[in-house]
Amino acid sequence: DSSVLAGTLGATGLTDRVAHWLNYRDGRPEADELRFARAVTERLGVPLRCETKVLAPLDEATLKEIGAFSRPAIGAVDATRDRFEADLLREAGATGIVSGQGGDGVFFQFPTALVAADEFARRGWGAWRSPVLADVARRTRQSVWSVLGQVRAARRGRERRPMTTSGLLAPAWAAEARGFEHEWVAAARAAGLPPGKVLHVQGIALTHFYYEPSRRLAVADMLMPLFTQPVIEHCLSIPVPDLAGASYDRAFARNAFAERLPEAVFRRRTKGALNAHVARRVAVSCETLRPYLLEGCLAEAGILDRGRLGHALDPERLMTGQAPHAMHVLNAAPVEAWVRHWQGRVPDSRTAGRP
């Protein structure tokens, strides 16, 4: 995403206003996007600054610091990067961080059979003659018959919906949370939009998480050109099969920017995966996170499930990559910090007995 964004900026003649072209890597091939970022900066004729992601453990002092923000500071959990960028912004006198975030939601990056469901909603039986069905099967790595089964379920209102709640919630809270959805998503569903377009709206709604408070955002504004109102409105007006009905992701966006992108970026079919990096960050932080979360306010209130937490915080599982809830742990930590901070200042009720 950052490579595409940089290419777009360069085409508009703004390269002289950029203080740093920044790329992060952690040394693992599945997370390394350096060659794509370098392809962009070489095409633009600008220098690329590459930084190695430091695997620093979370400590209680850091958690206490980020707990004082007005909302849970999920964006500040990677404290090493957050502090580094805040200092870099101050040194450069920069006023904004340009990011490609939001593009996945707006351009519909999701590999899902709902793209084919929207094609059937649009064309009826004519969808059988559309290349979308076979392309979606290739994109989702399953048979056409499996895709058709999911299309049938979606047409009956029983499509598989993405999990938007933490896998660490206690069962009762998880069940209650599943009953809620963003008001935009509820409005899209109530308006009778096809299931793929409802998912499109949900992906856009979830992008608001990128505006969570952090140290760097206290210094500069987050600028997200791919998530501006004209881009969002234009892409929302495009049927999902036209936006994403190819055998590769974000076909519409790729073709729209084809003349501006280096060939390596245009042909790219993978995204940098940080799952292993996140799992290792939780593993090196277990000494702090295990007691902090297992004995914390959220577990005491029955919101987080101690059994699931203990399973997610098993160092051996984390270091071997068998950690599907590692990101949920990193999300829970700043929420716990936020609750601890504000419970000490705002009582739960008039009779709470707290100063």
Side-chain angles (χ1 to χ4, degrees):
D1 287 341
S2 58
S3 298
V4 172
L5 177 61
T8 306
L9 276 176
T12 58
L14 297 178
T15 56
D16 58 332
R17 297 177 59 185
V18 178
H20 293 285
W21 299 83
L22 190 59
N23 170 262
Y24 287 96
R25 61 190 313 209
D26 80 337
R28 297 179 67 92
E30 74 273 12
D32 194 345
E33 300 185 330
L34 177 60
R35 72 184 184 96
F36 301 112
R38 186 165 284 157
V40 172
T41 53
E42 287 178 355
R43 177 164 176 170
L44 297 174
V46 295
L48 176 65
R49 178 166 184 164
C50 186
E51 298 289 336
T52 301
K53 289 184 72 68
V54 178
L55 201 64
L58 268 172
D59 54 37
E60 286 210 39
T62 295
L63 290 167
K64 185 175 181 180
E65 176 193 358
I66 67 177
F69 283 106
S70 59
R71 300 190 309 280
I74 293 171
V77 171
D78 189 345
T80 304
R81 174 196 171 183
D82 198 28
R83 293 184 180 119
F84 167 76
E85 285 194 12
D87 291 341
L88 196 61
L89 286 160
R90 293 188 189 96
E91 291 171 9
T95 58
I97 305 168
V98 182
S99 169
Q101 289 174 326
D104 284 351
V106 173
F107 296 141
F108 203 95
Q109 187 268 341
F110 324 116
T112 171
L114 296 184
V115 176
D118 280 26
E119 183 74 346
F120 275 89
R122 177 170 65 169
R123 301 188 186 279
W125 291 108
W128 283 99
R129 297 188 297 273
S130 168
V132 169
L133 186 59
D135 282 342
V136 168
R138 281 189 286 268
R139 170 83 174 97
T140 57
R141 299 181 181 180
Q142 58 186 321
S143 71
V144 168
W145 300 110
S146 295
V147 172
L148 286 171
Q150 293 170 57
V151 168
R152 182 183 182 189
R155 289 171 70 86
R156 295 180 176 183
R158 296 199 298 267
E159 71 271 16
R160 280 183 278 178
R161 298 177 185 177
M163 184 178 72
T164 57
T165 58
S166 171
L168 303 178
L169 288 178
W173 283 96
E176 185 165 345
R178 281 192 292 269
F180 293 92
E181 58 186 1
H182 194 285
E183 61 180 323
W184 294 355
V185 180
R189 210 181 298 282
L193 295 183
K197 184 55 71 174
V198 173
L199 178 60
H200 191 193
V201 172
Q202 182 173 330
I204 291 170
L206 289 175
T207 305
H208 287 109
F209 284 117
Y210 294 128
Y211 291 101
E212 295 299 336
S214 64
R215 302 168 189 85
R216 60 189 183 275
L217 292 190
V219 180
D221 294 325
M222 178 69 78
L223 308 175
M224 297 163 57
L226 304 182
F227 200 64
T228 53
Q229 185 172 342
V231 178
I232 294 172
E233 290 182 349
H234 180 67
C235 289
L236 280 173
S237 72
I238 300 170
V240 165
D242 296 341
L243 199 62
S247 59
Y248 52 91
D249 64 324
R250 293 164 294 183
F252 179 88
R254 290 179 191 272
N255 291 325
F257 291 101
E259 294 182 0
R260 298 184 179 186
L261 299 177
E263 187 70 10
V265 175
F266 179 74
R267 298 295 178 189
R268 178 183 180 184
R269 297 293 182 262
T270 60
K271 288 179 64 67
L274 288 174
N275 298 12
H277 178 82
V278 170
R280 288 185 298 137
R281 285 203 65 223
V282 175
V284 300
S285 304
C286 272
E287 185 177 343
T288 296
L289 291 178
R290 280 189 69 86
Y292 192 78
L293 291 173
L294 287 169
E295 301 165 17
C297 299
L298 298 175
E300 181 186 357
I303 295 172
L304 294 183
D305 185 277
R306 284 194 170 98
R308 295 179 179 180
L309 268 172
H311 192 66
L313 288 164
D314 180 344
E316 184 175 344
R317 293 174 60 85
L318 287 162
M319 292 307 291
T320 56
Q322 302 172 4
H325 298 313
M327 182 58 76
H328 295 165
V329 172
L330 279 188
N331 288 343
V335 177
E336 173 70 29
W338 180 78
V339 170
R340 290 191 186 198
H341 175 85
W342 291 104
Q343 273 200 339
R345 287 153 181 78
V346 182
D348 292 334
S349 70
R350 294 178 180 176
T351 57
R354 291 192 182 89

PDB file of all heavy atoms in Angstrom, residues 3-4 7 35-43 254-255 257-269:
ATOM      1  N   SER A   3       3.787   1.584  -1.190  1.00  0.00           N
ATOM      2  CA  SER A   3       4.434   1.739  -2.490  1.00  0.00           C
ATOM      3  C   SER A   3       3.493   2.363  -3.502  1.00  0.00           C
ATOM      4  O   SER A   3       3.856   3.256  -4.245  1.00  0.00           O
ATOM      5  CB  SER A   3       4.904   0.370  -2.991  1.00  0.00           C
ATOM      6  OG  SER A   3       5.852  -0.179  -2.114  1.00  0.00           O
ATOM      7  N   VAL A   4       2.247   1.895  -3.530  1.00  0.00           N
ATOM      8  CA  VAL A   4       1.260   2.460  -4.442  1.00  0.00           C
ATOM      9  C   VAL A   4       1.033   3.929  -4.131  1.00  0.00           C
ATOM     10  O   VAL A   4       0.968   4.771  -5.008  1.00  0.00           O
ATOM     11  CB  VAL A   4      -0.066   1.672  -4.334  1.00  0.00           C
ATOM     12  CG1 VAL A   4      -1.163   2.365  -5.137  1.00  0.00           C
ATOM     13  CG2 VAL A   4       0.114   0.249  -4.836  1.00  0.00           C
ATOM     14  N   GLY A   7       3.848   6.111  -5.317  1.00  0.00           N
ATOM     15  CA  GLY A   7       3.797   6.309  -6.756  1.00  0.00           C
ATOM     16  C   GLY A   7       2.762   7.338  -7.141  1.00  0.00           C
ATOM     17  O   GLY A   7       2.981   8.168  -8.021  1.00  0.00           O
ATOM     18  N   ARG A  35      11.569  -4.526  -1.595  1.00  0.00           N
ATOM     19  CA  ARG A  35      11.803  -4.423  -3.045  1.00  0.00           C
ATOM     20  C   ARG A  35      10.694  -3.644  -3.745  1.00  0.00           C
ATOM     21  O   ARG A  35      10.933  -2.969  -4.744  1.00  0.00           O
ATOM     22  CB  ARG A  35      11.969  -5.802  -3.669  1.00  0.00           C
ATOM     23  CG  ARG A  35      10.734  -6.656  -3.790  1.00  0.00           C
ATOM     24  CD  ARG A  35      11.113  -8.032  -4.344  1.00  0.00           C
ATOM     25  NE  ARG A  35       9.965  -8.888  -4.588  1.00  0.00           N
ATOM     26  CZ  ARG A  35       9.373  -9.012  -5.765  1.00  0.00           C
ATOM     27  NH1 ARG A  35       9.814  -8.313  -6.806  1.00  0.00           N
ATOM     28  NH2 ARG A  35       8.350  -9.817  -5.921  1.00  0.00           N
ATOM     29  N   PHE A  36       9.486  -3.683  -3.196  1.00  0.00           N
ATOM     30  CA  PHE A  36       8.395  -2.915  -3.796  1.00  0.00           C
ATOM     31  C   PHE A  36       8.543  -1.425  -3.480  1.00  0.00           C
ATOM     32  O   PHE A  36       8.354  -0.574  -4.347  1.00  0.00           O
ATOM     33  CB  PHE A  36       7.049  -3.437  -3.283  1.00  0.00           C
ATOM     34  CG  PHE A  36       6.823  -4.889  -3.576  1.00  0.00           C
ATOM     35  CD1 PHE A  36       6.795  -5.830  -2.557  1.00  0.00           C
ATOM     36  CD2 PHE A  36       6.652  -5.325  -4.873  1.00  0.00           C
ATOM     37  CE1 PHE A  36       6.594  -7.175  -2.821  1.00  0.00           C
ATOM     38  CE2 PHE A  36       6.450  -6.672  -5.156  1.00  0.00           C
ATOM     39  CZ  PHE A  36       6.426  -7.598  -4.124  1.00  0.00           C
ATOM     40  N   ALA A  37       8.889  -1.121  -2.230  1.00  0.00           N
ATOM     41  CA  ALA A  37       9.120   0.279  -1.867  1.00  0.00           C
ATOM     42  C   ALA A  37      10.292   0.851  -2.652  1.00  0.00           C
ATOM     43  O   ALA A  37      10.253   1.996  -3.121  1.00  0.00           O
ATOM     44  CB  ALA A  37       9.375   0.386  -0.361  1.00  0.00           C
ATOM     45  N   ARG A  38      11.346   0.033  -2.819  1.00  0.00           N
ATOM     46  CA  ARG A  38      12.527   0.509  -3.551  1.00  0.00           C
ATOM     47  C   ARG A  38      12.206   0.733  -5.025  1.00  0.00           C
ATOM     48  O   ARG A  38      12.730   1.663  -5.651  1.00  0.00           O
ATOM     49  CB  ARG A  38      13.655  -0.507  -3.382  1.00  0.00           C
ATOM     50  CG  ARG A  38      14.971  -0.077  -3.963  1.00  0.00           C
ATOM     51  CD  ARG A  38      16.089  -0.943  -3.432  1.00  0.00           C
ATOM     52  NE  ARG A  38      16.458  -0.607  -2.062  1.00  0.00           N
ATOM     53  CZ  ARG A  38      17.067  -1.452  -1.231  1.00  0.00           C
ATOM     54  NH1 ARG A  38      17.338  -2.677  -1.607  1.00  0.00           N
ATOM     55  NH2 ARG A  38      17.389  -1.048  -0.013  1.00  0.00           N
ATOM     56  N   ALA A  39      11.346  -0.118  -5.592  1.00  0.00           N
ATOM     57  CA  ALA A  39      10.965   0.063  -6.995  1.00  0.00           C
ATOM     58  C   ALA A  39      10.288   1.416  -7.196  1.00  0.00           C
ATOM     59  O   ALA A  39      10.481   2.083  -8.214  1.00  0.00           O
ATOM     60  CB  ALA A  39      10.030  -1.067  -7.430  1.00  0.00           C
ATOM     61  N   VAL A  40       9.490   1.833  -6.222  1.00  0.00           N
ATOM     62  CA  VAL A  40       8.793   3.120  -6.312  1.00  0.00           C
ATOM     63  C   VAL A  40       9.769   4.281  -6.171  1.00  0.00           C
ATOM     64  O   VAL A  40       9.771   5.215  -6.978  1.00  0.00           O
ATOM     65  CB  VAL A  40       7.696   3.215  -5.241  1.00  0.00           C
ATOM     66  CG1 VAL A  40       7.098   4.618  -5.195  1.00  0.00           C
ATOM     67  CG2 VAL A  40       6.597   2.196  -5.507  1.00  0.00           C
ATOM     68  N   THR A  41      10.615   4.240  -5.135  1.00  0.00           N
ATOM     69  CA  THR A  41      11.518   5.377  -4.914  1.00  0.00           C
ATOM     70  C   THR A  41      12.555   5.493  -6.034  1.00  0.00           C
ATOM     71  O   THR A  41      12.956   6.600  -6.395  1.00  0.00           O
ATOM     72  CB  THR A  41      12.216   5.255  -3.548  1.00  0.00           C
ATOM     73  OG1 THR A  41      12.840   3.970  -3.432  1.00  0.00           O
ATOM     74  CG2 THR A  41      11.217   5.433  -2.420  1.00  0.00           C
ATOM     75  N   GLU A  42      12.988   4.373  -6.597  1.00  0.00           N
ATOM     76  CA  GLU A  42      13.921   4.443  -7.732  1.00  0.00           C
ATOM     77  C   GLU A  42      13.258   5.068  -8.946  1.00  0.00           C
ATOM     78  O   GLU A  42      13.872   5.848  -9.680  1.00  0.00           O
ATOM     79  CB  GLU A  42      14.440   3.039  -8.057  1.00  0.00           C
ATOM     80  CG  GLU A  42      15.440   2.516  -7.032  1.00  0.00           C
ATOM     81  CD  GLU A  42      15.903   1.110  -7.348  1.00  0.00           C
ATOM     82  OE1 GLU A  42      15.373   0.500  -8.311  1.00  0.00           O
ATOM     83  OE2 GLU A  42      16.803   0.612  -6.634  1.00  0.00           O
ATOM     84  N   ARG A  43      11.988   4.735  -9.154  1.00  0.00           N
ATOM     85  CA  ARG A  43      11.277   5.331 -10.284  1.00  0.00           C
ATOM     86  C   ARG A  43      11.104   6.835 -10.093  1.00  0.00           C
ATOM     87  O   ARG A  43      11.167   7.611 -11.046  1.00  0.00           O
ATOM     88  CB  ARG A  43       9.926   4.649 -10.451  1.00  0.00           C
ATOM     89  CG  ARG A  43       9.070   5.256 -11.556  1.00  0.00           C
ATOM     90  CD  ARG A  43       7.950   4.348 -11.934  1.00  0.00           C
ATOM     91  NE  ARG A  43       7.075   4.955 -12.919  1.00  0.00           N
ATOM     92  CZ  ARG A  43       6.126   4.299 -13.562  1.00  0.00           C
ATOM     93  NH1 ARG A  43       5.924   3.019 -13.330  1.00  0.00           N
ATOM     94  NH2 ARG A  43       5.356   4.904 -14.438  1.00  0.00           N
ATOM     95  N   ARG A 254      -5.576  -1.510  -9.406  1.00  0.00           N
ATOM     96  CA  ARG A 254      -4.351  -1.781 -10.155  1.00  0.00           C
ATOM     97  C   ARG A 254      -4.441  -1.214 -11.579  1.00  0.00           C
ATOM     98  O   ARG A 254      -3.519  -0.574 -12.077  1.00  0.00           O
ATOM     99  CB  ARG A 254      -4.093  -3.287 -10.228  1.00  0.00           C
ATOM    100  CG  ARG A 254      -3.690  -3.924  -8.923  1.00  0.00           C
ATOM    101  CD  ARG A 254      -3.491  -5.420  -9.106  1.00  0.00           C
ATOM    102  NE  ARG A 254      -3.362  -6.105  -7.834  1.00  0.00           N
ATOM    103  CZ  ARG A 254      -2.212  -6.278  -7.196  1.00  0.00           C
ATOM    104  NH1 ARG A 254      -1.101  -5.811  -7.715  1.00  0.00           N
ATOM    105  NH2 ARG A 254      -2.174  -6.904  -6.040  1.00  0.00           N
ATOM    106  N   ASN A 255      -5.548  -1.474 -12.225  1.00  0.00           N
ATOM    107  CA  ASN A 255      -5.702  -1.010 -13.600  1.00  0.00           C
ATOM    108  C   ASN A 255      -5.810   0.511 -13.674  1.00  0.00           C
ATOM    109  O   ASN A 255      -5.325   1.135 -14.621  1.00  0.00           O
ATOM    110  CB  ASN A 255      -6.928  -1.666 -14.227  1.00  0.00           C
ATOM    111  CG  ASN A 255      -6.720  -3.161 -14.437  1.00  0.00           C
ATOM    112  OD1 ASN A 255      -5.622  -3.592 -14.744  1.00  0.00           O
ATOM    113  ND2 ASN A 255      -7.764  -3.953 -14.259  1.00  0.00           N
ATOM    114  N   PHE A 257      -4.292   2.671 -11.846  1.00  0.00           N
ATOM    115  CA  PHE A 257      -2.981   3.295 -11.650  1.00  0.00           C
ATOM    116  C   PHE A 257      -1.875   2.609 -12.434  1.00  0.00           C
ATOM    117  O   PHE A 257      -0.695   2.844 -12.182  1.00  0.00           O
ATOM    118  CB  PHE A 257      -2.624   3.296 -10.156  1.00  0.00           C
ATOM    119  CG  PHE A 257      -3.482   4.213  -9.331  1.00  0.00           C
ATOM    120  CD1 PHE A 257      -4.521   3.704  -8.573  1.00  0.00           C
ATOM    121  CD2 PHE A 257      -3.258   5.577  -9.319  1.00  0.00           C
ATOM    122  CE1 PHE A 257      -5.317   4.536  -7.813  1.00  0.00           C
ATOM    123  CE2 PHE A 257      -4.043   6.419  -8.561  1.00  0.00           C
ATOM    124  CZ  PHE A 257      -5.085   5.902  -7.808  1.00  0.00           C
ATOM    125  N   ALA A 258      -2.247   1.756 -13.399  1.00  0.00           N
ATOM    126  CA  ALA A 258      -1.258   0.926 -14.102  1.00  0.00           C
ATOM    127  C   ALA A 258      -0.127   1.754 -14.721  1.00  0.00           C
ATOM    128  O   ALA A 258       1.042   1.356 -14.669  1.00  0.00           O
ATOM    129  CB  ALA A 258      -1.955   0.098 -15.179  1.00  0.00           C
ATOM    130  N   GLU A 259      -0.432   2.893 -15.305  1.00  0.00           N
ATOM    131  CA  GLU A 259       0.587   3.679 -15.999  1.00  0.00           C
ATOM    132  C   GLU A 259       1.537   4.381 -15.035  1.00  0.00           C
ATOM    133  O   GLU A 259       2.616   4.815 -15.435  1.00  0.00           O
ATOM    134  CB  GLU A 259      -0.084   4.704 -16.909  1.00  0.00           C
ATOM    135  CG  GLU A 259      -0.867   4.076 -18.055  1.00  0.00           C
ATOM    136  CD  GLU A 259      -1.468   5.124 -18.961  1.00  0.00           C
ATOM    137  OE1 GLU A 259      -1.272   6.333 -18.683  1.00  0.00           O
ATOM    138  OE2 GLU A 259      -2.120   4.752 -19.956  1.00  0.00           O
ATOM    139  N   ARG A 260       1.129   4.502 -13.775  1.00  0.00           N
ATOM    140  CA  ARG A 260       1.964   5.216 -12.808  1.00  0.00           C
ATOM    141  C   ARG A 260       2.811   4.275 -11.953  1.00  0.00           C
ATOM    142  O   ARG A 260       3.728   4.737 -11.270  1.00  0.00           O
ATOM    143  CB  ARG A 260       1.079   6.051 -11.878  1.00  0.00           C
ATOM    144  CG  ARG A 260       0.284   7.127 -12.586  1.00  0.00           C
ATOM    145  CD  ARG A 260      -0.479   7.961 -11.582  1.00  0.00           C
ATOM    146  NE  ARG A 260      -1.242   9.028 -12.210  1.00  0.00           N
ATOM    147  CZ  ARG A 260      -1.900   9.963 -11.548  1.00  0.00           C
ATOM    148  NH1 ARG A 260      -1.905   9.948 -10.238  1.00  0.00           N
ATOM    149  NH2 ARG A 260      -2.556  10.901 -12.193  1.00  0.00           N
ATOM    150  N   LEU A 261       2.499   2.995 -11.950  1.00  0.00           N
ATOM    151  CA  LEU A 261       3.149   2.074 -11.033  1.00  0.00           C
ATOM    152  C   LEU A 261       4.327   1.361 -11.671  1.00  0.00           C
ATOM    153  O   LEU A 261       4.279   0.991 -12.846  1.00  0.00           O
ATOM    154  CB  LEU A 261       2.143   1.018 -10.556  1.00  0.00           C
ATOM    155  CG  LEU A 261       0.931   1.517  -9.786  1.00  0.00           C
ATOM    156  CD1 LEU A 261       0.011   0.350  -9.446  1.00  0.00           C
ATOM    157  CD2 LEU A 261       1.352   2.232  -8.517  1.00  0.00           C
ATOM    158  N   PRO A 262       5.385   1.100 -10.893  1.00  0.00           N
ATOM    159  CA  PRO A 262       6.443   0.216 -11.381  1.00  0.00           C
ATOM    160  C   PRO A 262       5.846  -1.167 -11.659  1.00  0.00           C
ATOM    161  O   PRO A 262       4.884  -1.587 -10.998  1.00  0.00           O
ATOM    162  CB  PRO A 262       7.433   0.162 -10.210  1.00  0.00           C
ATOM    163  CG  PRO A 262       7.142   1.377  -9.398  1.00  0.00           C
ATOM    164  CD  PRO A 262       5.680   1.645  -9.554  1.00  0.00           C
ATOM    165  N   GLU A 263       6.431  -1.878 -12.596  1.00  0.00           N
ATOM    166  CA  GLU A 263       5.908  -3.188 -12.979  1.00  0.00           C
ATOM    167  C   GLU A 263       5.854  -4.144 -11.784  1.00  0.00           C
ATOM    168  O   GLU A 263       4.907  -4.916 -11.638  1.00  0.00           O
ATOM    169  CB  GLU A 263       6.780  -3.791 -14.081  1.00  0.00           C
ATOM    170  CG  GLU A 263       6.245  -5.080 -14.674  1.00  0.00           C
ATOM    171  CD  GLU A 263       4.985  -4.885 -15.509  1.00  0.00           C
ATOM    172  OE1 GLU A 263       4.623  -3.718 -15.793  1.00  0.00           O
ATOM    173  OE2 GLU A 263       4.371  -5.903 -15.877  1.00  0.00           O
ATOM    174  N   ALA A 264       6.861  -4.095 -10.915  1.00  0.00           N
ATOM    175  CA  ALA A 264       6.893  -4.995  -9.757  1.00  0.00           C
ATOM    176  C   ALA A 264       5.697  -4.779  -8.840  1.00  0.00           C
ATOM    177  O   ALA A 264       5.144  -5.726  -8.271  1.00  0.00           O
ATOM    178  CB  ALA A 264       8.180  -4.799  -8.973  1.00  0.00           C
ATOM    179  N   VAL A 265       5.275  -3.519  -8.685  1.00  0.00           N
ATOM    180  CA  VAL A 265       4.131  -3.213  -7.825  1.00  0.00           C
ATOM    181  C   VAL A 265       2.833  -3.613  -8.510  1.00  0.00           C
ATOM    182  O   VAL A 265       1.935  -4.199  -7.896  1.00  0.00           O
ATOM    183  CB  VAL A 265       4.121  -1.716  -7.467  1.00  0.00           C
ATOM    184  CG1 VAL A 265       2.877  -1.355  -6.668  1.00  0.00           C
ATOM    185  CG2 VAL A 265       5.381  -1.360  -6.675  1.00  0.00           C
ATOM    186  N   PHE A 266       2.732  -3.323  -9.798  1.00  0.00           N
ATOM    187  CA  PHE A 266       1.504  -3.663 -10.519  1.00  0.00           C
ATOM    188  C   PHE A 266       1.264  -5.171 -10.547  1.00  0.00           C
ATOM    189  O   PHE A 266       0.139  -5.639 -10.405  1.00  0.00           O
ATOM    190  CB  PHE A 266       1.575  -3.129 -11.958  1.00  0.00           C
ATOM    191  CG  PHE A 266       0.366  -3.452 -12.780  1.00  0.00           C
ATOM    192  CD1 PHE A 266      -0.825  -2.780 -12.568  1.00  0.00           C
ATOM    193  CD2 PHE A 266       0.407  -4.448 -13.755  1.00  0.00           C
ATOM    194  CE1 PHE A 266      -1.958  -3.088 -13.306  1.00  0.00           C
ATOM    195  CE2 PHE A 266      -0.713  -4.753 -14.503  1.00  0.00           C
ATOM    196  CZ  PHE A 266      -1.903  -4.076 -14.277  1.00  0.00           C
ATOM    197  N   ARG A 267       2.327  -5.965 -10.711  1.00  0.00           N
ATOM    198  CA  ARG A 267       2.197  -7.422 -10.809  1.00  0.00           C
ATOM    199  C   ARG A 267       2.176  -8.114  -9.452  1.00  0.00           C
ATOM    200  O   ARG A 267       1.959  -9.306  -9.374  1.00  0.00           O
ATOM    201  CB  ARG A 267       3.350  -7.996 -11.637  1.00  0.00           C
ATOM    202  CG  ARG A 267       3.392  -7.507 -13.069  1.00  0.00           C
ATOM    203  CD  ARG A 267       2.182  -7.982 -13.842  1.00  0.00           C
ATOM    204  NE  ARG A 267       2.185  -7.473 -15.217  1.00  0.00           N
ATOM    205  CZ  ARG A 267       1.149  -7.597 -16.031  1.00  0.00           C
ATOM    206  NH1 ARG A 267       0.041  -8.196 -15.613  1.00  0.00           N
ATOM    207  NH2 ARG A 267       1.201  -7.104 -17.259  1.00  0.00           N
ATOM    208  N   ARG A 268       2.390  -7.375  -8.416  1.00  0.00           N
ATOM    209  CA  ARG A 268       2.472  -7.961  -7.078  1.00  0.00           C
ATOM    210  C   ARG A 268       1.150  -8.633  -6.698  1.00  0.00           C
ATOM    211  O   ARG A 268       0.085  -8.070  -6.885  1.00  0.00           O
ATOM    212  CB  ARG A 268       2.792  -6.856  -6.079  1.00  0.00           C
ATOM    213  CG  ARG A 268       2.858  -7.311  -4.642  1.00  0.00           C
ATOM    214  CD  ARG A 268       3.102  -6.106  -3.760  1.00  0.00           C
ATOM    215  NE  ARG A 268       3.177  -6.478  -2.356  1.00  0.00           N
ATOM    216  CZ  ARG A 268       3.305  -5.599  -1.377  1.00  0.00           C
ATOM    217  NH1 ARG A 268       3.380  -4.316  -1.652  1.00  0.00           N
ATOM    218  NH2 ARG A 268       3.369  -6.012  -0.135  1.00  0.00           N
ATOM    219  N   ARG A 269       1.256  -9.838  -6.124  1.00  0.00           N
ATOM    220  CA  ARG A 269       0.053 -10.576  -5.740  1.00  0.00           C
ATOM    221  C   ARG A 269       0.060 -10.981  -4.276  1.00  0.00           C
ATOM    222  O   ARG A 269      -0.712 -11.837  -3.852  1.00  0.00           O
ATOM    223  CB  ARG A 269      -0.096 -11.829  -6.619  1.00  0.00           C
ATOM    224  CG  ARG A 269      -0.295 -11.519  -8.112  1.00  0.00           C
ATOM    225  CD  ARG A 269      -1.629 -10.839  -8.363  1.00  0.00           C
ATOM    226  NE  ARG A 269      -1.847 -10.585  -9.777  1.00  0.00           N
ATOM    227  CZ  ARG A 269      -1.619  -9.426 -10.368  1.00  0.00           C
ATOM    228  NH1 ARG A 269      -1.126  -8.415  -9.658  1.00  0.00           N
ATOM    229  NH2 ARG A 269      -1.853  -9.255 -11.658  1.00  0.00           N
TER     230      ARG A 269
END
